[in-house]
């Protein structure tokens, strides 16, 4: 069976017949930015057509979901679209991914997941993925490294609390240490270079010796963590000197810790 030729004809399609595609790379939409786009569409209409393909129930959205959502907010009942019934499933995914990458409308983690999916679909190496989307091999490699981030750190990256440069450094840190370093970045407003220096310095430190049974220390840390409702780490060297560290992520958490140890501010 021959494939349909691609169509460059722009049609006007009822909005209520359109549904998002199942392979859309984008999952997060900034509410404020969406409202601004809706205001613009209300004033000037939809300038750039969305891309659809025909389905039994209507039309599947391949590219332009943000415009589609904003058009609904603006009260539009129809919008311009290109119908691409010539595309396979894999090609449809690529069309949506490339448009989002060109518009820089994906979060860092969405970009990483999309590039990974593209590589799996076509069995591509990093350089080949870059050629397919018009980006460098380094661009692809740097984003794919983000898939090594712990879930909590990935969320901080997506929400903009941690920048991409910091995230690339954190991706090379063991999973168990990533959230602690993420906390350091936010609290101390570390530059990427500052983060790299601190991580390098921490690797040069001597490994501390924990006297007694390791399980005893683990039990102590766990019980203190439960009591204070914050992560607690206890370390000691051969002489018995050491430190007890309590991590908190907000001033409210700090107030809670101080109250539990009986500290009253003067």
């Amino acid at each position: 069976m021959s494939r349909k030729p691609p169509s460059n004809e722009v049609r006007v399609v009822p909005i209520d017949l359109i549904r998002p595609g199942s392979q859309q790379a984008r999952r997060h939409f900034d509410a404020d930015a969406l409202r601004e786009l809706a205001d613009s569409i209300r004033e000037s209409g939809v300038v750039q057509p969305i891309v659809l393909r025909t389905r039994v129930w209507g039309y599947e959205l391949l590219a332009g979901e943000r415009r589609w959502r904003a058009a609904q907010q603006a009260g539009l009942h129809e919008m311009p679209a290109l119908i691409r019934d010539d595309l396979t499933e894999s090609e449809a995914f690529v069309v949506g991914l490339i448009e989002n990458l060109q518009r820089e409308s994906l979060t860092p983690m969405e970009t990483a997941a999309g590039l990974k999916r593209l590589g799996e679909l076509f069995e591509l190496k990093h350089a080949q993925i870059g050629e397919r989307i018009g980006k460098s091999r380094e661009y692809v490699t740097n984003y794919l490294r983000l898939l090594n981030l712990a879930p909590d750190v990935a969320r901080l990256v997506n929400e903009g609390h941690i920048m991409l440069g910091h995230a690339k450094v954190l991706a090379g840190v063991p999973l168990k240490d990533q959230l602690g370093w993420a906390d350091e970045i936010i609290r101390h407003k570390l530059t990427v270079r500052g983060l790299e220096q601190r991580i390098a310095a921490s690797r040069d430190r001597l490994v501390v010796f924990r006297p007694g049974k390791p399980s005893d220390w683990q039990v102590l840390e766990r019980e203190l963590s439960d009591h204070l409702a914050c992560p607690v780490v206890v370390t000691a060297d051969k002489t018995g000197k050491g430190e007890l560290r309590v991590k908190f992520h907000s001033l409210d958490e700090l107030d809670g810790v101080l109250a539990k140890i009986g500290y009253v501010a003067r």
Side-chain angles (χ1 to χ4, degrees):
M1 180 179 175
S2 61
R3 292 173 57 181
K4 294 182 180 180
S7 172
N8 294 319
E9 179 186 355
V10 178
R11 302 184 197 173
V12 176
V13 177
I15 283 182
D16 58 2
L17 293 182
I18 302 170
R19 296 290 180 272
S22 59
Q23 295 196 70
Q24 288 287 306
R26 189 169 188 177
R27 292 290 181 265
H28 300 86
F29 297 87
D30 181 86
D32 292 335
L34 208 56
R35 278 193 295 270
E36 289 178 6
L37 181 56
D39 291 340
S40 174
I41 288 175
R42 199 176 288 115
E43 183 72 23
S44 306
V46 179
V47 178
Q48 180 71 27
I50 59 176
V51 182
L52 308 173
R53 62 177 171 175
T54 308
R55 286 289 181 258
V56 175
W57 39 262
Y59 298 93
E60 180 184 9
L61 185 62
L62 303 182
E65 184 171 350
R66 182 168 170 265
R67 273 164 283 157
W68 173 69
R69 289 174 179 266
Q72 292 178 82
Q73 285 192 21
L76 270 62
H77 299 291
E78 55 187 21
M79 63 189 305
L82 283 170
I83 310 300
R84 294 296 307 272
D85 291 336
D86 58 299
L87 300 175
T88 66
E89 289 288 331
S90 298
E91 290 167 343
F93 169 77
V94 174
V95 166
L97 176 63
I98 290 176
E99 178 180 274
N100 280 316
L101 289 175
Q102 288 174 340
R103 290 175 175 270
E104 297 184 348
S105 57
L106 298 177
T107 67
M109 299 311 300
E110 286 173 341
T111 298
L115 294 175
K116 179 175 184 288
R117 175 69 175 145
L118 179 58
E120 291 173 342
L121 280 173
F122 298 97
E123 298 182 352
L124 303 176
K125 296 181 179 180
H126 292 191
Q128 295 170 315
I129 295 173
E131 291 173 3
R132 181 65 67 94
I133 63 173
K135 301 287 186 179
S136 67
R137 181 194 61 77
E138 291 77 13
Y139 173 95
V140 174
T141 299
N142 284 334
Y143 271 101
L144 289 178
R145 287 188 66 196
L146 301 186
L147 298 174
N148 296 323
L149 292 174
D152 287 340
V153 177
R155 189 186 70 253
L156 291 172
V157 174
N158 261 355
E159 293 174 352
H161 300 297
I162 293 177
M163 298 297 101
L164 182 60
H166 296 92
K168 289 187 290 188
V169 176
L170 291 178
V173 173
L175 277 175
K176 63 182 179 64
D177 300 328
Q178 288 180 7
L179 192 56
W181 284 114
D183 181 60
E184 290 278 306
I185 294 168
I186 295 170
R187 285 194 299 115
H188 298 292
K189 296 181 173 58
L190 296 179
T191 64
V192 174
R193 181 57 181 157
L195 174 63
E196 290 173 333
Q197 290 174 337
R198 290 201 182 196
I199 291 176
S202 72
R203 287 171 177 163
D204 291 338
R205 294 175 195 151
L206 293 176
V207 177
V208 297
F209 171 75
R210 296 189 176 197
K213 296 179 180 179
S215 59
D216 293 342
W217 290 96
Q218 293 171 9
V219 169
L220 177 61
E221 288 178 342
R222 185 168 61 250
E223 290 179 346
L224 285 173
S225 297
D226 291 342
H227 177 67
L228 298 177
C230 281
V232 174
V233 177
V234 181
T235 58
D237 59 21
K238 294 179 180 180
T239 67
K241 295 179 181 179
E243 62 179 15
L244 184 150
R245 287 184 292 164
V246 181
K247 290 187 178 181
F248 56 88
H249 299 89
S250 69
L251 293 179
D252 288 339
E253 281 191 359
L254 175 59
D255 288 341
V257 171
L258 295 176
K260 286 175 181 176
I261 63 176
Y263 175 80
V264 178
R266 297 177 180 176

